[in-house]
Amino acid sequence: MSNVLGFLEAKLMPLAAKAAQQRHLCAIRGAYVSFMPFIIVGSVLLIISSFPSQSYQQFMSGMFGSTWSNIVEIPFNAVFSTMSLFISFLVAYRLAEHYEEDRVSSGILALVSFLILTPFIKVEALGNLTVVPTEWIGSKGLFVAMIGSLLWTELFCFLKRKKLVIKMPEGVPPAVQESFAALIPALIVIVLVLAIRIIFEHTRYETIHQFIYQVVATPVRHFGTSYVGALLTVLSITILWSVGINSGSMVNGIIRPLWMENQTDNIAAIQAGVTPPHIITEQFFDMIWMGGAGATLSLVIAMLFFARSKSMREVARLGAGASVFNINEPILFGLPIIMNPIMLIPFNLVPLVLVTVQYIAMKIGMVAVTTGVFIPWTLPPVISGFIVTGHLSGSLMQIVNLLIGAMLYLPFLRILDKQYCTAEKA
């Protein structure tokens, strides 16, 4: 085990640290962090409109009319149906922020470029012909939005660094100087984007969206949101945490685009009154990470009931309150778990077992599949299970997970507890 820890510390930790600081990953992660409050608000409104209770629905219809749910879901649809527009702007904004370039111009350029690549359709309504965007401005267009924003911003910043700009005389306000400095680089980027659109119109894919979706996004999403992909996701998070790297936000930021479309499909299914089609979503993992990475709330429960050493019981009491809200740094560093050969075994094993049990339970229909609604990551277990599945089985699944996790942690906990008791007596 010491050899494994040595390898992780010497080889994996520097690589993970570099990946965490990689500018493109940081830009994508920062974009989703900025947009997440609006996603959560939209999800809360969806929960209000689609709460799984017949008496609740009848009561709300009696109070506010039969169309009350459609009105409540307007903000939700506004957020989820146009998600790619916001992400394209925010990714470019964050990347330009890294380069200390004009963030607003970069964001607007990325948004305009995304719209140039996005096909529009003509709809006749009340005798008038209206041009409206297609479904690609929602979650299906996220790959083009993200990849495009990174490329266009890189090119935009490169051209500005090469001084391919219009220089204004002294005394011109800085805001005006920035606007004119962006003119030529923006023109070059837009012409290039337009050429890409024209090229793809002469292929069998017709649009770059269709090409990316079929050739890149669908295969990657299929693997990333499979059972094996779920195992690799939790293992990557716990392996990095094993050497002290806060990996949750880093890994989630990379994989979240893969989950997003699954969640959108599940939400659409709930609105249509049918069973959600996808098991693996971000909320699937919200049900696993009870107490934080490693599902350490199970460990806290085992410590409170079975620990005999004074130091371990003290750590459990101090960390229990935070663990309920999925904050486990007091346990990770106080017990400790990080760099501890004994506790790292169950820390990496427990999430793999819980993913397997929960996946099978949802696959065979014993537990309701997650609906796709977003929740704050600090929402306590049992409550979160009910909200993300809209069913009591979600809460029961989390209780079962807690018990399984506690039983798996217990043998290793007893070994460490015995060592602590011996040291305290000495």
Side-chain angles (χ1 to χ4, degrees):
M1 187 66 187
S2 59
N3 292 334
V4 175
L5 289 177
F7 170 79
L8 292 176
E9 188 174 9
K11 303 296 183 181
L12 186 60
M13 190 171 179
L15 290 175
K18 289 181 180 179
Q21 299 301 319
Q22 208 280 330
R23 62 182 183 276
H24 300 114
L25 297 180
C26 287
I28 294 173
R29 184 168 66 248
Y32 277 101
V33 169
S34 298
F35 194 55
M36 190 56 64
F38 304 97
I39 294 176
I40 293 175
V41 169
S43 296
V44 169
L45 293 174
L46 181 64
I47 293 171
I48 293 173
S49 68
S50 305
F51 192 77
S53 170
Q54 191 65 32
S55 57
Y56 168 81
Q57 294 291 341
Q58 292 174 351
F59 171 78
M60 296 297 285
S61 296
M63 289 287 293
F64 303 106
S66 59
T67 61
W68 75 275
S69 60
N70 295 332
I71 297 173
V72 172
E73 289 176 10
I74 289 175
F76 163 80
N77 291 325
V79 171
F80 279 79
S81 298
T82 59
M83 186 182 304
S84 292
L85 300 178
F86 298 105
I87 293 299
S88 65
F89 177 89
L90 290 170
V91 169
Y93 185 96
R94 292 301 183 189
L95 184 56
E97 189 175 50
H98 170 82
Y99 285 122
E100 297 183 353
E101 289 288 354
D102 186 353
R103 293 167 292 181
V104 174
S105 294
S106 299
I108 294 174
L109 176 61
L111 178 58
V112 170
S113 300
F114 176 76
L115 290 173
I116 291 173
L117 293 172
T118 302
F120 284 65
I121 57 175
K122 295 179 180 180
V123 177
E124 188 172 351
L126 301 177
N128 297 320
L129 201 61
T130 306
V131 179
V132 298
T134 59
E135 59 184 348
W136 297 112
I137 66 171
S139 61
K140 289 187 71 174
L142 282 174
F143 269 85
V144 172
M146 292 185 302
I147 297 171
S149 294
L150 296 175
L151 291 175
W152 315 140
T153 305
E154 285 285 357
L155 179 57
F156 178 75
C157 294
F158 172 79
L159 294 173
K160 291 190 69 176
R161 287 195 300 270
K162 294 299 181 180
K163 306 299 182 183
L164 195 61
V165 297
I166 297 176
K167 295 183 178 180
M168 301 298 291
E170 296 291 335
V172 175
V176 177
Q177 290 183 14
E178 285 287 346
S179 299
F180 277 88
L183 211 157
I184 294 178
L187 177 61
I188 293 173
V189 171
I190 288 175
V191 170
L192 174 62
V193 171
L194 183 59
I196 292 173
R197 171 168 180 153
I198 294 171
I199 290 171
F200 273 96
E201 284 180 349
H202 292 83
T203 67
R204 69 184 181 89
Y205 297 104
E206 296 184 350
T207 68
I208 191 173
H209 287 278
Q210 195 66 41
F211 171 76
I212 294 292
Y213 189 75
Q214 289 185 14
V215 177
V216 180
T218 299
V220 171
R221 181 166 68 100
H222 178 73
F223 177 76
T225 60
S226 65
Y227 166 66
V228 175
L231 292 179
L232 293 176
T233 297
V234 296
L235 184 60
S236 62
I237 291 174
T238 54
I239 284 289
L240 292 174
W241 257 121
S242 298
V243 291
I245 298 174
N246 188 338
S247 53
S249 59
M250 179 178 70
V251 174
N252 290 351
I254 297 170
I255 304 179
R256 185 169 284 124
L258 307 180
W259 295 329
M260 193 72 71
E261 191 172 345
N262 282 9
Q263 291 159 202
T264 303
D265 291 345
N266 283 7
I267 289 171
I270 291 294
Q271 291 176 312
V274 298
T275 303
H278 302 293
I279 294 176
I280 304 299
T281 63
E282 186 168 357
Q283 295 71 46
F284 177 91
F285 298 98
D286 290 335
M287 294 178 64
I288 298 293
W289 298 131
M290 296 170 294
T296 50
L297 184 57
S298 294
L299 173 60
V300 171
I301 293 172
M303 291 165 64
L304 289 172
F305 280 95
F306 299 103
R308 294 292 177 262
S309 65
K310 182 179 178 181
S311 58
M312 188 172 287
R313 294 182 67 85
E314 189 67 21
V315 169
R317 284 195 293 267
L318 291 173
S323 293
V324 171
F325 296 96
N326 304 320
I327 300 169
N328 64 349
E329 278 79 1
I331 303 298
L332 294 177
F333 295 98
L335 187 59
I337 293 176
I338 292 173
M339 303 301 291
N340 185 331
I342 296 173
M343 297 310 300
L344 283 181
I345 296 173
F347 181 74
N348 287 276
L349 175 64
V350 167
L352 298 176
V353 174
L354 299 188
V355 164
T356 301
V357 172
Q358 185 169 295
Y359 183 88
I360 293 173
M362 290 183 173
K363 188 72 174 179
I364 64 178
M366 289 181 62
V367 176
V369 176
T370 57
T371 60
V373 297
F374 287 79
I375 58 171
W377 62 271
T378 52
L379 197 65
V382 182
I383 298 173
S384 61
F386 175 74
I387 291 177
V388 299
T389 61
H391 198 275
L392 189 60
S393 62
S395 297
L396 295 176
M397 184 73 254
Q398 286 192 299
I399 294 172
V400 172
N401 283 342
L402 284 171
L403 295 175
I404 293 173
M407 288 188 292
L408 292 174
Y409 269 114
L410 186 57
F412 303 90
L413 173 64
R414 287 191 182 280
I415 296 172
L416 192 63
D417 189 40
K418 186 176 180 180
Q419 294 178 359
Y420 286 176
C421 285
T422 302
E424 289 170 4
K425 289 178 182 178

